[in-house]
Amino acid sequence: MNRIVSDIHNCNVVELIKIHNPAGNITIIQNGRHQPFNVKRVYYLYDVPGGSERGGHAHKALYQLIVAASGSFDVILDDAINKKIIQLNRPYFGLLVIPGIWREIVNFSSGAICLVLASQKYMEEDYIRDYSEFQKFKHDSSDSRCSDPFNR
Ligand code: TYD
């Protein structure tokens, strides 16, 4: 895979497979089919009090697919030049967030579940939690392309 440029234009919503059933639908996310990385970790945010904001960081190498498994929330994406806001409100859409993107997650509806599929196990050293450090990271990066999601 060609390494993609780390900007918000490469963070897109993908439609996931949905199997309709009057008794309840199923959505499937499978390695190699629905996201450009293998999933090594899954976590989810829930019981988020109204008005709470999550995120507020960037990752150096982590790829994520974010899904509103229930309810809705807004994801603010920022590549230190441009920003965009994506509302997620259906469990059959996923937002790909590539490395080097500052994200904030806001406007959680009551009962919202933010499901995150991630390309790596948890590593605190992969986080950038300070916005000015993030700006410096983007400014100093001689190579604006993302790390290989498969670590080749
Ligand atoms: P963080 O990713 O900062 O949460 P958010 O972006 O949703 O606000 O994680 C919050 C805390 O949870 C932080 O102390 C690290 C810990 N954590 C883990 O230990 N493992 C994980 O896989 C995740 C996502 C977080």
Coordinates of all heavy atoms in Angstrom, one line a residue, residues 41 43 45 54-55 57 122 124 127 129, ligand 1:
R41 N -6.7 -4.0 18.5 CA -7.3 -3.6 19.7 C -8.7 -3.0 19.4 O -8.9 -2.3 18.4 CB -6.4 -2.5 20.4 CG -7.0 -2.0 21.7 CD -5.9 -1.2 22.4 NE -5.3 -0.2 21.5 CZ -5.3 1.1 21.7 NH1 -5.9 1.7 22.7 NH2 -4.7 1.9 20.8
Y43 N -11.8 -0.8 21.6 CA -12.3 -0.3 22.9 C -13.5 0.6 22.6 O -13.8 0.9 21.4 CB -11.2 0.5 23.6 CG -10.7 1.7 22.9 CD1 -11.2 3.0 23.2 CD2 -9.6 1.7 22.1 CE1 -10.7 4.1 22.6 CE2 -9.1 2.8 21.5 CZ -9.7 4.0 21.7 OH -9.2 5.2 21.1
L45 N -16.2 3.8 24.3 CA -16.5 4.8 25.3 C -18.0 4.7 25.5 O -18.8 4.6 24.5 CB -16.2 6.2 24.8 CG -14.8 6.5 24.3 CD1 -14.7 7.9 23.8 CD2 -13.8 6.2 25.4
R54 N -14.1 14.2 24.7 CA -13.1 13.2 24.7 C -12.1 13.5 23.6 O -12.2 14.3 22.8 CB -13.7 11.8 24.6 CG -14.7 11.5 25.6 CD -14.2 11.4 27.0 NE -13.1 10.5 27.1 CZ -13.1 9.4 27.8 NH1 -14.3 9.0 28.4 NH2 -12.1 8.6 27.9
G55 N -11.0 12.6 23.6 CA -10.0 12.9 22.6 C -9.1 13.9 23.1 O -8.6 13.9 24.2
H57 N -6.2 14.7 21.5 CA -4.8 14.2 21.3 C -4.7 13.8 19.9 O -5.7 13.7 19.1 CB -4.5 13.1 22.3 CG -5.4 11.9 22.1 ND1 -6.4 11.5 22.9 CD2 -5.4 10.9 21.1 CE1 -7.0 10.5 22.5 NE2 -6.5 10.1 21.4
Y122 N -2.4 -0.5 23.0 CA -2.2 0.7 23.7 C -0.7 1.0 24.0 O 0.0 0.2 24.6 CB -3.0 0.7 25.0 CG -2.8 1.9 25.8 CD1 -3.3 3.1 25.5 CD2 -1.9 1.9 27.0 CE1 -3.1 4.3 26.3 CE2 -1.7 3.0 27.7 CZ -2.3 4.2 27.4 OH -2.0 5.3 28.1
E124 N 1.2 4.5 25.3 CA 1.2 6.0 25.7 C 2.2 6.8 24.9 O 1.9 7.9 24.6 CB 1.4 6.1 27.2 CG 1.2 7.6 27.7 CD -0.2 8.2 27.4 OE1 -1.2 7.5 27.4 OE2 -0.2 9.4 27.2
Y127 N 1.0 8.7 21.8 CA 0.1 9.8 21.9 C 0.9 11.2 21.9 O 2.0 11.3 22.4 CB -0.6 9.8 23.3 CG -1.8 8.9 23.5 CD1 -1.6 7.5 23.6 CD2 -3.1 9.4 23.5 CE1 -2.7 6.7 23.8 CE2 -4.2 8.6 23.7 CZ -4.0 7.2 23.9 OH -5.0 6.4 24.1
R129 N -0.3 14.7 23.4 CA -1.5 15.2 24.1 C -1.5 16.7 24.3 O -2.4 17.3 24.9 CB -1.5 14.5 25.5 CG -1.8 13.0 25.5 CD -2.1 12.5 26.9 NE -2.4 11.1 26.9 CZ -3.5 10.5 26.7 NH1 -4.6 11.2 26.4 NH2 -3.7 9.2 26.7
Ligands
TYD1 P1 -7.6 8.3 26.1 O1 -7.2 7.6 24.9 O2 -6.8 9.5 26.5 O3 -9.1 8.6 26.1 P2 -10.0 9.7 25.3 O4 -9.2 10.1 24.1 O5 -11.2 8.9 24.9 O6 -10.4 10.8 26.1 O7 -7.5 7.2 27.3 C1 -8.0 7.6 28.6 C2 -7.2 6.8 29.6 O8 -7.4 5.4 29.4 C3 -5.7 7.0 29.6 O9 -5.2 7.1 30.9 C4 -5.1 5.8 28.9 C5 -6.2 4.7 29.2 N1 -6.3 3.8 28.1 C6 -5.7 2.5 28.2 O10 -5.1 2.2 29.3 N2 -5.8 1.6 27.2 C7 -6.5 2.0 26.0 O11 -6.5 1.1 25.1 C8 -7.1 3.3 25.9 C9 -7.8 3.7 24.7 C10 -6.9 4.1 27.0

